[in-house]
Amino acid sequence: MSSPDIPAILEHSKELDRLRKEQEDVLVEINKMHKRLQAAPEVVEKPGDSSLSKLKALYTHAKELSENEVTISNSLMGQLDTLLPSGPSGQQRRRIGSDQKRRKMKTDSDISRISPNARSQLEAWASLKGEQVAARVTPDESEKDEWFVVKVIHFDKETKLFEVLDEEPGDDDEGGGQRKYKLPMSSIIPFPKRNDPATAQDFPPGRQVLAVYPGTTALYKATVVNNNRKRKTDEYLLEFDDDEEDGSLPQRGVPFHKVVPLPEGHRQ
């Protein structure tokens, strides 16, 4: 297992702090708009008034910040996993594999005591329903990690488990058909949004990433050769590990919305 990238952990921590402060600023502006509309609801009927459009823009911005926080938090959790002792990880694996009656369910009062940032993060995870994400479908103790593109069916805020669907039919020896999985948050990485390049991280040349191999729904470890994203909508030029042809690694273009940070301790 590779040693944790401490500078990357610190960088992600600073980015989380920045995102949360910006979320607080946006929330203040939203509350101001609410008070204004409550005091004078008739203002929206005046010609040229843009109160509602401004409020919508604030909510859109708040949603984007929350989604960015989820992406960074997930990467940070993967990095921090390498610093944790093996005991808790084993316990977590047993919890994931246990039946429903062994899980401790939170009551509504428990949930109400969660911090605003934690609640917003849970909401952001839940908002991934219907979206495609990168998912590690192999257990923690597997020799190799297998990551696939899956569709989120449901996120349980109490158990913090995702139910996902691998829409690509399996091999005959695997039973064929589409497969469903229940996975913890640490096994999920949201993709950058195709229509919002600002949600993507800008990976420099030489950075190792996890990317969808062209023509497949599987993700593999790759190295950024060239960052051609001048318009932030272009693709990365990558070299995939173990993709040797004629003694060299071919360079393959992959859209930015199919590239995510390489999880710490990735096994391939």
Side-chain angles (χ1 to χ4, degrees), residues 12 15-16 19 68-77 201:
H12 283 154
E15 179 65 11
L16 275 181
L19 286 170
N68 288 344
E69 182 182 354
V70 168
T71 300
I72 299 298
S73 296
N74 193 63
S75 298
L76 188 56
M77 283 190 294
Q201 294 189 47

Side-chain angles (χ1 to χ4, degrees), residues 33-54:
M33 290 293 296
H34 283 175
K35 290 180 180 179
R36 179 188 174 194
L37 293 176
Q38 288 173 355
E42 69 279 359
V43 71
V44 299
E45 300 178 0
K46 294 182 179 180
D49 182 76
S50 59
S51 299
L52 295 181
S53 61
K54 289 180 180 178

Side-chain angles (χ1 to χ4, degrees), residues 50-67:
S50 59
S51 299
L52 295 181
S53 61
K54 289 180 180 178
L55 187 60
K56 180 180 178 181
L58 286 170
Y59 272 113
T60 299
H61 188 36
K63 182 175 182 292
E64 291 173 352
L65 290 171
S66 181
E67 290 171 346

Side-chain angles (χ1 to χ4, degrees), residues 189-218:
I189 303 179
F191 284 118
K193 293 188 176 299
R194 183 194 302 263
N195 299 326
D196 187 4
T199 61
Q201 294 189 47
D202 203 14
F203 301 111
R207 178 66 61 85
Q208 291 185 321
V209 295
L210 201 63
V212 179
Y213 189 85
T216 76
T217 57

Side-chain angles (χ1 to χ4, degrees), residues 132 147-150 166-168 212-220:
Q132 286 189 331
W147 289 79
F148 295 119
V149 178
V150 300
D166 183 356
E167 300 177 281
E168 187 75 12
V212 179
Y213 189 85
T216 76
T217 57
L219 292 93
Y220 298 96

